[in-house]
């Protein structure tokens, strides 16, 4: 993932922001850049910084050595892989962080619909069928938990050595839990909002790289 900011914004302040704290705790491979400075983070830890140019006498000057450093940084970024998760505690910690990111993404997407859209329609459906007093915050929390539990249940039921992705997860949710299957398909199926899908797919990849035999 790459988070882009305007040129001249203080990266030190950005690093201390709640947004970056959420990203660093949830995304294992991340670049923060303003098109000139590049900071690469792996598993939440700052690995390296490189600059394409520097300011000299009030003007930007291209830095040949910096260009080579940025190239190496980007090569490392592209080659980095999500580490395999081997313990229940490690998986739970990763899932909690990503669940919070999903909840925040849902809240932002919900607000951007301005009262009319897929998420608002789903919330109204939940209110009519399940929880009449459901508010937007509770909806986002329930939505995120359902996605996380649904993916986890599906991953536990996936055949060994079978690739695990969100698009196929519903088929692996145990048939003994038809309510979860239907609810998961309803909120995390092919029509999932793109502003949410990226982080759900990230969780699916974490589960894909989890040693479920060791964890269970």
């Amino acid at each position: 993932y790459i988070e882009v900011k305007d040129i001249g914004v203080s990266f030190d302040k950005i690093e201390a922001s709640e947004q970056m704290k959420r990203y660093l705790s949830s995304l294992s491979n991340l670049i923060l850049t303003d098109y000139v400075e590049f900071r690469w983070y792996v598993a939440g830890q700052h690995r390296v910084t490189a600059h394409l140019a520097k300011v000299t006498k009030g003007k930007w000057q291209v830095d040949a050595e910096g260009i080579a450093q940025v190239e190496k940084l980007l090569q490392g970024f592209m080659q980095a892989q999500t580490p395999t998760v081997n313990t229940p505690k490690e998986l739970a910690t990763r899932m909690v962080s990503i669940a919070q990111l999903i909840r925040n993404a849902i809240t932002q997407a919900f607000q951007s619909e301005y009262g009319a859209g897929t998420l608002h329609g789903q919330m109204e459906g939940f209110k009519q069928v399940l929880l009449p007093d459901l508010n937007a915050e509770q909806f986002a929390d329930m939505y995120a938990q359902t996605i996380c539990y649904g993916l986890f249940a599906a991953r536990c039921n996936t055949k060994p050595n079978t690739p695990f992705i969100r698009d196929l997860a519903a088929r692996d949710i145990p048939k003994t839990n038809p309510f979860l299957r239907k609810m998961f398909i309803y909120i995390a199926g092919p029509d999932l909002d793109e502003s949410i899908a990226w982080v759900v797919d990230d969780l699916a990849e974490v589960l894909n790289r989890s040693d479920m035999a060791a964890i269970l």
Side-chain angles (χ1 to χ4, degrees):
Y1 296 96
I2 301 178
E3 175 69 10
V4 182
K5 300 297 184 183
D6 289 334
I7 294 177
V9 174
S10 171
F11 275 15
D12 292 336
K13 289 183 178 180
I14 292 173
E15 281 188 339
S17 69
E18 290 301 316
Q19 179 193 42
M20 278 300 294
K21 288 179 181 179
R22 291 195 300 267
Y23 286 175
L24 292 173
S25 67
S26 306
L27 306 178
S28 60
N29 190 26
L30 174 69
I31 284 178
L32 174 64
T33 182
D34 62 356
Y35 307 99
V36 177
E37 180 178 347
F38 292 76
R39 292 189 185 184
W40 179 28
Y41 305 86
V42 178
Q45 300 298 315
H46 179 219
R47 176 162 291 187
V48 65
T49 295
H51 298 80
L52 290 176
K54 296 180 179 179
V55 177
T56 303
K57 296 181 179 179
K59 294 183 179 181
W60 287 106
Q61 298 291 331
V62 174
D63 185 341
E65 182 178 348
I67 291 175
Q69 292 175 352
V70 170
E71 183 178 359
K72 290 180 180 179
L73 182 154
L74 292 174
Q75 288 175 344
F77 170 75
M78 294 297 292
Q79 293 170 2
Q81 294 184 342
T82 302
T84 301
V85 179
N86 297 296
T87 68
K89 181 178 180 180
E90 184 181 4
L91 179 58
T93 300
R94 293 289 299 276
M95 289 188 69
V96 166
S97 296
I98 296 177
Q100 292 172 345
L101 207 58
I102 293 172
R103 182 186 60 195
N104 292 331
I106 291 167
T107 298
Q108 292 176 5
F110 187 84
Q111 292 172 348
S112 69
E113 289 184 347
Y114 298 107
T118 302
L119 291 174
H120 281 80
Q122 289 176 336
M123 190 174 92
E124 288 303 314
F126 287 138
K127 290 173 70 173
Q128 292 177 16
V129 177
L130 295 174
L131 301 168
D133 299 324
L134 184 70
N135 60 38
E137 183 178 353
Q138 294 168 334
F139 170 71
D141 195 57
M142 181 180 70
Y143 204 113
Q145 290 188 50
T146 301
I147 287 175
C148 290
Y149 184 67
L151 285 175
F152 176 73
R155 182 67 179 89
C156 290
N157 206 42
T158 302
K159 295 179 181 179
N161 302 318
T162 301
F164 181 74
I165 59 175
R166 171 178 59 88
D167 292 343
L168 301 178
R171 73 178 185 185
D172 291 325
I173 294 177
K175 294 182 180 180
T176 53
N177 196 337
F179 177 76
L180 178 61
R181 283 171 64 94
K182 290 181 180 179
M183 190 171 182
F184 183 84
I185 292 172
Y186 180 54
I187 68 175
D191 295 329
L192 180 64
D193 191 302
E194 290 184 359
S195 61
I196 302 170
W198 67 273
V199 67
V200 177
D201 289 338
D202 193 68
L203 174 58
E205 179 60 16
V206 169
L207 289 166
N208 183 52
R209 291 181 176 272
S210 296
D211 185 344
M212 297 308 295
I215 290 170
L216 296 175

